[in-house]
Amino acid sequence: MKQQRKDAKRRVAESSMSARLGVATNTTSPFVRKDRQFKTYKPITRSIRWLRQPLNEHLHSGGPVRALTIAKRSTAGRNHHGRVTVRGRGGGHRRRIRLVDFYRWESGEQEVVRIEYDPGRSAHIALVQHKLTGAQSYILAPDGLRAGDTVQSYRQGIKGDAAKAATSTSNVVDEIVSSPDGTPLSTDPAAPQTAAAPGSASSSSLDLGIFRTQAIRPGNFLPLHLIPIGTTIHSITMHPLGPAKMVRSAGTFGQLVAFSARTGAGESHAQVRLQSGEVRLIPSTCCAAIGTVSNKDHQHRRLGKAGRSRWLGRRPKVRGVAMNACDHPHGGGRGKSKSNMHPRSIYGHLTKGARTRKPGTRGGNQMVVRERPRRNGKRLGKP
C-alpha cells in the first residue's frame, strides 16, 4: 500500500502543468509548494494559509538598471492643496519607477537581456539592448518572451510626417525583403532569386508576405496597416506619433478585426476589438506590439493578508452603511439599511449601472464602432 501511494504521487507529479511546461517543481523549502502554475505555502501561520502567487521562474532575481529608474514620490491621494482627492491610498513600500519605452522609435534588432518584475504595474517588463549601439531600454514583455530573444521596431518611417507613413513603411518592407543588390526576393525557396516587375501588384503582395513572416513575432512593434487581420496585439498607440496607451495590463490583448475608410482615402482606420469587448476605430498609421501582455495569471493571485495590501499602498476602506448620515449617503438609520436608495458613492454619484460615457451613435465618441457589452445582465452579449 505504501508503494502504491508513492506511485500515485509520482504519476500526479508527472502529469501536472509544471511538468508539461518544463518548470522545475523541486521545493526550495519544506514549507513552499509549487503545483501547476502557482506557488503556495504550508499554512504554518494564518497569513500564508491563503497566499497564492503565480510561478515566474524566468524573472530576474536582482534589481533593475538604476539609470532607467526614477524615485517614486507618493502623494497618498492628496492634491497640491493637501486635500484628499482619492481615498484609500497611502503608505506602501518604497518603489522606483521603471522608465518603460512606449514610443519604440529606435530601429534595428534588440536582444532581450532579461525579464524583470515591475512593482508599478501588473505586467512584466523586458530589458532590451540594441545589438549595434548597445543602448538599453525597458519594454512591456509579451507572453512567451525570454532572455536571448530578439525584438525589433518598424516605426522609424513614421516619425516626422504621419501623412507619409504608408510610403515610408513600404520602403521598410522593400528594404527587408530585398537582396543586397536591391532586387526583391522570391517567396519560393526552390526558385532562383530574380527581380520582379517593378510596380506590379503581385510583387508588392509577395514582398508584404515575406515581411510579415519576419516581422509578426511577439514583441515586435509595427504599424497597424502592416499587421494581418486576426492578429493579437497590445501596447496600441492612439496617435501616429504618440506613445502606447491601450492594452498594457497583465494578460490583456486586442485583436485586429478589419480595416475601414472614414475619410474616403483608402483604408485609413483599423477596427480593433479591445479586452472589454468594445470595437473602436484607430488610425491605420498607429502602431502596436505583437502578442499578449505577460503575467496572465496575475488576476488569480491571492494576497493572503491585509498587510500585503498595505505594502502595495492601499489603506483600509470603510463601508458606507457603517458611517453616519453626515458622512455618506448610505449612513445613518437603524441596522444595515441604506435608506432604500440605489448604491451611491460618498459624493452622491451613482455607483452601479450608470453610464460612464455617451454612446458613440448619439453625439458621443464617434470612434467607437460597437460598445462594450454591459455586464449587469440587461445588455449582456448585445452591442
Side-chain angles (χ1 to χ4, degrees), residues 63 71 78 89 129 175 200 204 219 222-223 226 235 245 346:
R78 288 165 172 79
R89 293 189 181 183
Q129 185 174 8
E175 179 184 352
S200 62
S204 62
L222 62 159
L226 296 178
S235 298
K245 291 190 175 182
I346 192 173

Side-chain angles (χ1 to χ4, degrees), residues 236-247:
I236 309 171
T237 65
M238 301 184 67
H239 189 272
L241 304 178
K245 291 190 175 182
M246 293 189 295
V247 193

Side-chain angles (χ1 to χ4, degrees), residues 99-170:
L99 301 178
V100 180
D101 182 16
F102 290 114
Y103 285 93
R104 305 284 298 272
W105 285 120
E106 192 171 9
S107 61
E109 293 186 349
Q110 294 175 319
E111 184 181 0
V112 179
V113 180
R114 63 196 183 211
I115 309 296
E116 296 185 8
Y117 166 78
D118 189 353
R121 65 184 72 251
S122 57
H124 297 152
I125 58 177
L127 178 65
V128 295
Q129 185 174 8
H130 202 279
K131 289 188 176 181
L132 296 180
T133 62
Q136 292 183 339
S137 61
Y138 281 123
I139 63 171
L140 278 188
D143 191 23
L145 193 69
R146 293 295 182 269
D149 296 345
T150 302
V151 296
Q152 191 169 355
S153 175
Y154 301 92
R155 196 184 187 186
Q156 72 280 3
I158 304 177
K159 192 171 185 179
D161 189 3
K164 299 179 181 178
T167 306
S168 57
T169 49
S170 63

Side-chain angles (χ1 to χ4, degrees), residues 203-329:
S203 62
S204 62
S205 62
L206 291 178
D207 293 348
L208 184 59
I210 298 174
F211 169 76
R212 284 175 172 174
T213 58
Q214 296 182 2
I216 306 302
R217 297 177 181 177
N220 286 355
F221 200 73
L222 62 159
L224 292 177
H225 62 82
L226 296 178
I227 302 177
I229 295 176
T231 308
T232 58
I233 55 179
H234 67 278
S235 298
I236 309 171
T237 65
M238 301 184 67
H239 189 272
L241 304 178
K245 291 190 175 182
M246 293 189 295
V247 193
R248 303 192 327 191
S249 60
T252 58
F253 63 91
Q255 188 176 20
L256 190 61
V257 177
F259 290 96
S260 61
R262 280 186 61 86
T263 59
E267 297 175 345
S268 61
H269 286 72
Q271 296 184 14
V272 178
R273 181 186 294 113
L274 302 178
Q275 195 71 21
S276 62
E278 173 184 293
V279 178
R280 66 173 292 133
L281 294 174
I282 299 175
S284 59
T285 53
C286 291
C287 297
I290 306 299
T292 306
V293 187
S294 57
N295 197 16
K296 58 184 178 181
D297 288 325
H298 174 77
Q299 60 176 339
H300 301 301
R301 66 171 184 166
R302 288 196 299 244
L303 299 182
K305 62 178 182 180
R308 193 163 280 106
S309 293
R310 300 304 298 267
W311 299 345
L312 297 176
R314 304 170 187 169
R315 297 186 66 242
K317 294 182 180 179
V318 180
R319 295 171 296 120
V321 294
M323 299 183 186
N324 295 326
C326 61
D327 298 324
H328 200 278

